[in-house]
Amino acid sequence: MPLLKDVNGKQFLEDYNGVELFKEFTPGIAKLPKLTYKLYYNTPAPEVVEKCIKLGRCTADEAAALEKAFNERYGDK
């Protein structure tokens, strides 16, 4: 299974239950309308995270916690 750096926005949301991770680690992103997520479907997940930090939707600490949780749950063992 991939690490966060290996998936795009659509995979993160649809294949790996990304909305639940947003709710748990980055509530500012989770509050956005789902239509907003579609803009980033073909964007690599790390780029989406950087954009969210720059837009003030999450902090670097929240993003790091989300990435760590994703990698622990879905990354190669």
Side-chain angles (χ1 to χ4, degrees):
M1 300 193 97
L3 298 173
L4 184 67
K5 67 181 179 80
D6 301 323
V7 299
N8 65 28
K10 184 175 184 178
Q11 291 170 314
F12 175 79
L13 291 168
E14 294 182 0
D15 298 341
Y16 299 104
N17 204 16
V19 174
E20 290 304 313
L21 287 169
F22 284 155
K23 288 178 183 175
E24 187 174 347
F25 296 100
T26 56
I29 297 172
K31 292 178 185 175
L32 294 171
K34 290 193 185 342
L35 183 62
T36 305
Y37 301 155
K38 289 189 180 198
L39 300 172
Y40 301 102
Y41 269 16
N42 293 319
T43 306
E47 288 181 31
V48 176
V49 170
E50 289 301 317
K51 287 179 185 180
C52 290
I53 292 170
K54 287 178 184 176
L55 293 172
R57 291 291 178 185
C58 70
T59 65
D61 290 339
E62 290 172 335
L66 179 126
E67 182 174 3
K68 181 180 177 188
F70 180 91
N71 291 339
E72 286 175 355
R73 293 178 193 183
Y74 302 111
D76 295 328
K77 303 283 182 210

